[in-house]
Amino acid sequence: MLTINRKVKPVKWRDVPPALFLYLIFVIIVTIFNIVTGFFGPENLREALMPITGWDMSTCYMFSVFFVVTCCRYPSLGARSTILAFLWLTVLFGVIDILLPWRKDFYDPNPYLRVSPWRPLWTIVIPIVWIIILRTRRITEFCKREHSS
C-alpha cells in the first residue's frame, strides 16, 4: 500500500552501489553527448554516428535518467524495473532493426539511411550488458532496502 505522507530519507551517494552509480554517469554522458552533437555538432559527426547508433542514439538512456537518479536516492525495485524496461525496449528495437529486410544497406550513399554492421553492438549488446549488471545481487539487495526515517 502506498502511503503518501510517509517521510522517506534519501540514501547518501556513498551508499549507492558503484555499478548503479556508473550507469548513472553513463546515461548522463550519453544524453549530453547526444544533445550536444544533435544541436551543436558538425553534420559530418552526426552522419558518421547515425549508421552505428541509429536514429535514437540515446532515447532509452535519456528517458531513464530520472529513474536512475530516483533509484540511487530512493531505492526501489520499481525504479530499477523501469530502468530495465527502457533497456529491454532498446534491445527489442535493435532486434527488430536487424530483422527488417530493407535495413541491410551498408553502402547507401545517404548516411542517414546507411546501417553499420556495428549497430547491434550499440542497440543490443551494450543494453544487455547493462541489464545483466543492473540485475546483480548487490543492486537487487540495494533496491530492496527500506529507507524511511
Side-chain angles (χ1 to χ4, degrees):
M1 177 180 207
L2 179 64
T3 345
I4 296 178
N5 294 332
R6 186 177 78 165
K7 292 189 178 190
V8 178
K9 186 176 175 185
V11 175
K12 293 183 171 61
W13 284 105
R14 67 174 181 259
D15 296 334
V16 175
L20 187 58
F21 189 74
L22 183 64
Y23 183 69
L24 174 63
I25 299 300
F26 175 77
V27 297
I28 289 171
I29 288 172
V30 168
T31 300
I32 290 172
F33 181 77
N34 188 32
I35 291 170
V36 169
T37 57
F39 289 110
F40 309 111
E43 191 165 337
N44 60 355
L45 177 62
R46 287 191 303 275
E47 290 174 356
L49 290 174
M50 188 70 64
I52 298 168
T53 62
W55 283 87
D56 55 349
M57 175 176 152
S58 71
T59 303
C60 96
Y61 304 116
M62 192 180 308
F63 288 128
S64 69
V65 169
F66 169 78
F67 295 100
V68 178
V69 171
T70 301
C71 192
C72 288
R73 297 294 282 162
Y74 304 98
S76 74
L77 290 173
R80 188 191 68 162
S81 297
T82 305
I83 297 164
L84 293 173
F86 282 122
L87 290 168
W88 279 117
L89 279 173
T90 301
V91 172
L92 175 67
F93 291 141
V95 169
I96 290 171
D97 194 39
I98 288 173
L99 296 178
L100 293 176
W102 61 84
R103 297 302 302 258
K104 303 278 192 261
D105 195 356
F106 301 131
Y107 306 106
D108 193 306
N110 183 344
Y112 295 100
L113 299 177
R114 193 175 310 134
V115 177
S116 169
W118 291 101
R119 185 175 291 182
L121 178 68
W122 182 254
T123 60
I124 297 171
V125 175
I126 292 174
I128 286 177
V129 168
W130 281 117
I131 288 168
I132 292 168
I133 291 170
L134 294 175
R135 290 186 52 85
T136 59
R137 178 181 301 244
R138 183 169 183 190
I139 293 178
T140 302
E141 292 301 318
F142 173 76
C143 291
K144 284 183 180 178
R145 296 184 342 182
E146 268 302 311
H147 291 282
S148 55
S149 53

